[in-house]
Amino acid sequence: MNRLAHGRRLKPAGRGHEGETVKAGQDHHRSVRGVAMSLIRSRRIRNRTRGAAVGAACVLLAIVGATSTSATPLSPPASTSTVTVESAEVRIQDFKFTPAEVKVTAGAKITVTNEDSAPHTLTATEGYAFDTGTIEAGKSATFTAPSKPGSYPFFCSIHPQMKGTLIVS
């Protein structure tokens, strides 16, 4: 075989990598390097195209999200929301008051619905500020919030581990 001055072998004439014609004395390394560079360029183009597609999808999602006309407004779960209102509803489920913290104005009407299978009460912890009496499963009771602003802890007198707070403003 022929050698160049720097010691590389020269490929004889015939077929080279992937069927390309190689002239006598052509450096085979250059041919492979050319294919490798071609693959790198192809990957770069694919990555750019992919990046553009992802960017377009993000923009589309942002537009759709901003112009959504959903019939149901999104709101936080009832157990974490606390709003001062003139009337309120407290649900009893799984031996818990929901919400556990109720904010109302003085004299507001509060309806308590028992969605459990056992009877419950909603009773002020101190004094006799309010008490629903026993509420059977599937029933409701309504009471009036105290007229004096303040924080009123409450519990279920049948199941004392059930607790909450009524905040009157």
Side-chain angles (χ1 to χ4, degrees):
M1 277 202 157
N2 295 333
R3 292 191 182 267
L4 294 173
H6 51 76
R8 280 201 197 153
R9 287 186 200 174
L10 297 177
K11 186 163 177 72
R15 292 282 182 204
H17 184 69
E18 295 184 3
E20 66 186 14
T21 302
V22 178
K23 296 178 186 171
Q26 183 179 10
D27 188 1
H28 180 68
H29 177 71
R30 286 186 192 163
S31 160
V32 172
R33 195 171 123 217
V35 170
M37 293 304 288
S38 177
L39 288 173
I40 289 171
R41 279 191 296 273
S42 295
R43 284 189 188 129
R44 285 181 183 158
I45 291 169
R46 267 196 316 261
N47 287 344
R48 285 185 196 141
T49 305
R50 222 180 264 145
V54 169
C58 289
V59 168
L60 182 62
L61 285 173
I63 291 169
V64 169
T67 61
S68 176
T69 57
S70 175
T72 317
L74 298 176
S75 61
S79 62
T80 60
S81 63
T82 55
V83 179
T84 303
V85 293
E86 293 182 16
S87 66
E89 185 173 326
V90 177
R91 293 178 304 135
I92 300 173
Q93 282 181 304
D94 301 322
F95 290 82
K96 294 178 191 161
F97 294 108
T98 306
E101 184 176 277
V102 184
K103 291 185 177 182
V104 295
T105 56
K109 299 290 181 189
I110 300 153
T111 301
V112 182
T113 304
N114 182 357
E115 297 177 2
D116 251 340
S117 57
H120 294 287
T121 71
L122 190 146
T123 308
T125 302
E126 298 173 10
Y128 298 99
F130 51 87
D131 183 8
T132 60
T134 301
I135 307 169
E136 295 298 326
K139 302 292 182 183
S140 295
T142 301
F143 70 94
T144 303
S147 57
K148 181 180 175 190
S151 180
Y152 297 86
F154 60 82
F155 73 112
C156 172
S157 63
I158 302 169
H159 309 99
Q161 75 278 7
M162 295 174 57
K163 297 178 182 179
T165 306
L166 175 66
I167 299 172
V168 179
S169 59

